[in-house]
Amino acid sequence: MRSLRLGIICFCAAVALSACGGGGGNNNGGGGSPPPPPPPALTITTASILSGTLQGHAYSTTLSASNGQGALHWSIAPVSSTALFVTGLTMDANTGTLSGTANFGGTAGFIATVTDSASTPQLATKSFTVTAYQPLTSAQSQAATVTEFQTFLNVHAGIQGGFPPVAYSVSSGTMPPGLKFDSTGQLVGSAYQTGTFQFTLAAQDSFSPPESASQPFTITVTSATLTLQNSLPSRIAVNRPFSGRLVALGGTPPYSFALANGNSLPFGLSLNPNTGVVSGTPTIAGDYPFGLIVTDSSSPMHTANQQFNIDVEAALGRNDSPATATPMDNGSIQASISPYIDPPNGAPTAGDNDYYKLVSLGGSVVHVETVAKRSNPNNPLDTVIEIVDANSARLTLCRQPGDTSTTFASSCINDDISASPHVQDSALDFQVPGQPNIANTFYVHVFDWRGDARPDMTYSLEVSGVVDPLTVQPQTLPPAERGVAYGATVFAANAKGAVSWSLLSGSLPPGLSLDTNENIIGTPTTTGTYKFTLQATDSSNPPQTATGQETLVVVDPFQINLPASPAALPSACLSQPYSFQIPTTGGAAPLSWFFFADSGINWPGFAFEPHSGSFSGVPTQAGSFSGSVQVLDAAHASDSRQITLTVSTCP
């Protein structure tokens, strides 16, 4: 047993010696060199899309490879049996040069193979394409018809092929203004002149040397459909100068413009029939719908119409002082303000902050409140409210938010409605000073605490508790016509119970009197402007009284100053400027004129101005034309005439 164990130990020792490197074995633990790394792979480095050429022209390009050993050997083969091959081109096996005559048209492909001369040769393959473009060719002639102002033309030059890009130019003649051919041969642009344009179109490609071709071309530009665009604003300011232009498209210029039968512009505006300019100073607020007509110079003439609507409103103006304050009653108003300076006490007045004028009766409790942060937490506006008199002096008859007492002795300024929770909007209760039933005027001033100049500083001001005092309206009565029965009603707003009236000063026009039912009635006998003061007293306890300065104008009887119908207007000459204003006598401005042509359409070349009663324009057709005019004045008196106009060919 012992001898056996020794034998085993000796065997294991021999094995261990061999594993540790004894006996000169070949392994990494010994002193020999590591085997060399494999060579880098042979790779074709030329881009797979080769330079293009023209069909039937000589071609040459050389392929390149990297990491090969020794001489390289090149060959090409089709991609597939059905794919277009580079017919006419061959590969030099030693240089990798692909050359020959491109006998194919379009994009052809092939597979290139390269092998090196290593003891164990490497091989690489890669797919390539070559495009052979058709030679530049042109047709005998090309013709196209396009519409003026058309932007999608869908017209091609007709010159085919060529090595891209192809440049187009006009070698003789003239193309329609606004059009050109792009590098693809597509006609682009928008023609703005009608007519037939003949020219020679030349093309040159980018081959070396370049190829060229030319062909005659004719483009006829026809008139687009005549349209009148809605180019006037929908809102303008009363008593502010205005000028706007009508825009006509299509047809054949020059154009003439006119109002549709029975339509009129806002008072104070007029239409230039030749330029389409609507201008003037609107004098009466209101909503004015009207139709306009454009006529072109084609033969026969084309017309188009468009409906317009202009709202004439009072300009907003500034309300950054008590003198320019915005009048307000119970309700809500939406507004935005510019920044104020922090803090408000003693700070100079900023360029824009808002004042609102309120009128209420003495003893009334009026609540004012802003809503800004509560409607939009991201609103940067931190409003401040104060209540002031006409001199911007802060009043002291207020109650702060959360105060439920009946004492109104706080200074009339508030920044935040509450501190916990923090409500950054503002509110005040104000007790109107003065005796009951006596009207008192005060002002609400709204501004921003911090002074962040942001355009989104919007808020709403809410007012409640205003008791409207007795007032006398209107201040200007409708005009009267001498010798014509007249009736107008004066009105006392916010009266309680029956109202009694008296003439406090001045005098009514002779022939008129004030009855017990708030009416001024009678037949005036003398023209002139009469100013007088009326006083109204209601039945409240104690009674309220109010006065109003009234103005009443008595004018002479109103009529058109033309002979009896039908009246012949001064004759006009064909194609020569014409202007005539229908005369009137008496009446109260403003006048509203209406013209109705017997044919149902406006007299050709003429425009009628509905505020002045004027015919103007350049007549485009000879003959005799008839129609009627009607006029209405501010006193609701009216007159009308049948009229005729003769247009002749003059020397």
Side-chain angles (χ1 to χ4, degrees):
M1 291 294 292
R2 191 172 186 177
S3 299
L4 178 61
R5 285 199 298 272
L6 289 173
I8 294 171
I9 293 171
C10 290
F11 172 78
C12 291
V15 172
L17 288 172
S18 175
C20 292
N26 185 13
N27 56 65
N28 292 336
S33 299
L42 177 64
T43 304
I44 299 175
T45 57
T46 305
S48 60
I49 300 177
L50 301 178
S51 58
T53 185
L54 285 178
Q55 186 180 19
H57 283 65
Y59 180 80
S60 180
T61 189
T62 300
L63 306 186
S64 300
S66 63
N67 304 327
Q69 298 184 29
L72 302 179
H73 183 271
W74 293 85
S75 64
I76 62 172
V79 175
S80 69
S81 60
T82 58
L84 183 64
F85 187 60
V86 286
T87 306
L89 305 183
T90 59
M91 175 66 76
D92 187 307
N94 298 318
T95 64
T97 299
L98 182 70
S99 62
T101 300
N103 294 329
F104 59 93
T107 300
F110 64 90
I111 297 176
T113 301
V114 62
T115 59
D116 66 2
S117 302
S119 57
T120 302
Q122 295 190 84
L123 178 146
T125 63
K126 190 172 184 178
S127 296
F128 291 89
T129 59
V130 179
T131 299
Y133 297 93
Q134 297 291 332
L136 201 62
T137 60
S138 61
Q140 290 298 317
S141 63
Q142 285 282 95
T145 299
V146 300
T147 302
E148 191 179 16
F149 307 120
Q150 181 181 356
T151 54
F152 179 73
L153 304 173
N154 199 26
V155 175
H156 196 271
I159 298 177
Q160 304 294 328
F163 194 89
V166 178
Y168 294 88
S169 62
V170 175
S171 60
S172 64
T174 304
M175 280 192 69
L179 298 182
K180 69 175 184 177
F181 287 95
D182 65 12
S183 61
T184 68
Q186 188 70 34
L187 186 64
V188 296
S190 177
Y192 55 84
Q193 182 178 333
T194 60
T196 299
F197 300 84
Q198 294 181 332
F199 55 94
T200 299
L201 184 65
Q204 181 174 291
D205 72 358
S206 301
F207 198 64
S208 182
E211 290 200 330
S212 61
S214 64
Q215 68 179 36
F217 215 110
T218 301
I219 294 181
T220 301
V221 182
T222 60
S223 297
T225 301
L226 181 64
T227 60
L228 184 58
Q229 307 300 300
N230 194 348
S231 58
L232 298 179
S234 60
R235 298 175 64 185
I236 60 177
V238 68
N239 295 323
R240 300 286 179 88
F242 169 78
S243 180
R245 182 182 295 274
L246 298 176
V247 177
L249 297 177
T252 303
Y255 308 113
S256 61
F257 302 87
L259 279 158
N261 263 349
N263 284 240
S264 60
L265 295 171
F267 289 98
L269 299 186
S270 61
L271 169 67
N272 186 314
N274 300 316
T275 64
V277 172
V278 176
S279 61
T281 300
T283 57
I284 300 179
D287 188 39
Y288 297 87
F290 56 91
L292 291 172
I293 299 172
V294 60
T295 304
D296 73 353
S297 299
S298 61
S299 182
M301 294 182 297
H302 298 107
T303 62
N305 58 73
Q306 177 67 257
Q307 194 68 26
F308 295 84
N309 195 94
I310 292 182
D311 187 14
V312 180
E313 296 183 355
L316 293 177
R318 296 175 67 92
N319 64 341
D320 52 7
S321 68
T324 59
T326 301
M328 190 173 175
D329 204 337
N330 292 317
S332 176
I333 191 170
Q334 305 293 319
S336 64
I337 64 174
S338 296
Y340 200 73
I341 298 173
D342 182 21
N345 291 325
T349 303
D352 181 27
N353 47 108
D354 294 345
Y355 283 83
Y356 299 90
K357 178 180 180 180
L358 280 71
V359 180
S360 188
L361 298 180
S364 303
V365 176
V366 178
H367 178 79
V368 294
E369 182 173 337
T370 61
V371 178
K373 289 285 190 181
R374 287 175 292 172
S375 62
N376 178 12
N378 296 320
N379 190 336
L381 179 60
D382 182 1
T383 59
V384 178
I385 277 183
E386 67 172 344
I387 298 177
V388 299
D389 63 15
N391 297 315
S392 294
R394 188 180 303 150
L395 301 176
T396 57
L397 296 174
C398 283
R399 185 173 60 188
Q400 295 293 323
D403 185 353
T404 59
S405 70
T406 57
T407 302
F408 294 84
S410 170
S411 179
C412 292
I413 185 169
N414 176 258
D415 175 30
D416 295 336
I417 290 178
S418 68
S420 182
H422 191 194
V423 180
Q424 288 182 276
D425 296 334
S426 306
L428 283 171
D429 290 332
F430 174 66
Q431 189 172 55
V432 182
Q435 296 297 317
N437 284 350
I438 300 299
N440 203 321
T441 301
F442 55 98
Y443 301 85
V444 178
H445 182 201
V446 182
F447 52 92
D448 174 52
W449 179 272
R450 296 184 315 273
D452 303 79
R454 293 273 295 275
D456 53 351
M457 302 178 87
T458 58
Y459 69 95
S460 65
L461 176 66
E462 298 179 353
V463 175
S464 60
V466 169
V467 179
D468 295 323
L470 179 69
T471 58
V472 175
Q473 302 172 345
Q475 293 186 342
T476 300
L477 295 168
E481 186 175 342
R482 178 174 53 83
V484 178
Y486 178 80
T489 300
V490 291
F491 178 67
N494 309 314
K496 296 177 176 63
V499 177
S500 60
W501 292 87
S502 60
L503 181 63
L504 200 62
S505 63
S507 62
L508 294 172
L512 299 183
S513 61
L514 176 66
D515 68 10
T516 58
N517 295 319
E518 306 178 348
N519 297 319
I520 296 176
I521 58 174
T523 300
T525 60
T526 308
T527 60
T529 299
Y530 299 86
K531 296 182 180 296
F532 49 93
T533 301
L534 296 179
Q535 177 174 288
T537 304
D538 72 1
S539 303
S540 58
N541 185 19
Q544 294 188 81
T545 61
T547 60
Q549 177 70 48
E550 309 290 334
T551 301
L552 200 161
V553 177
V554 180
V555 298
D556 287 324
F558 176 55
Q559 67 177 10
I560 294 175
N561 194 16
L562 285 175
S565 298
L569 303 187
S571 297
C573 291
L574 185 66
S575 302
Q576 295 185 24
Y578 179 87
S579 179
F580 178 72
Q581 182 175 6
I582 297 177
T584 62
T585 56
L591 306 181
S592 297
W593 288 87
F594 303 91
F595 169 64
F596 305 94
D598 289 347
S599 62
I601 60 175
N602 282 344
W603 294 346
F606 289 94
F608 182 72
E609 166 48 47
H611 300 311
S612 63
S614 298
F615 285 96
S616 61
V618 178
T620 59
Q621 182 180 332
S624 181
F625 304 93
S626 61
S628 63
V629 290
Q630 182 181 17
V631 61
L632 179 72
D633 77 346
H636 301 288
S638 66
D639 197 7
S640 64
R641 289 288 189 279
Q642 288 293 124
I643 57 174
T644 62
L645 174 66
T646 300
V647 178
S648 306
T649 301
C650 302

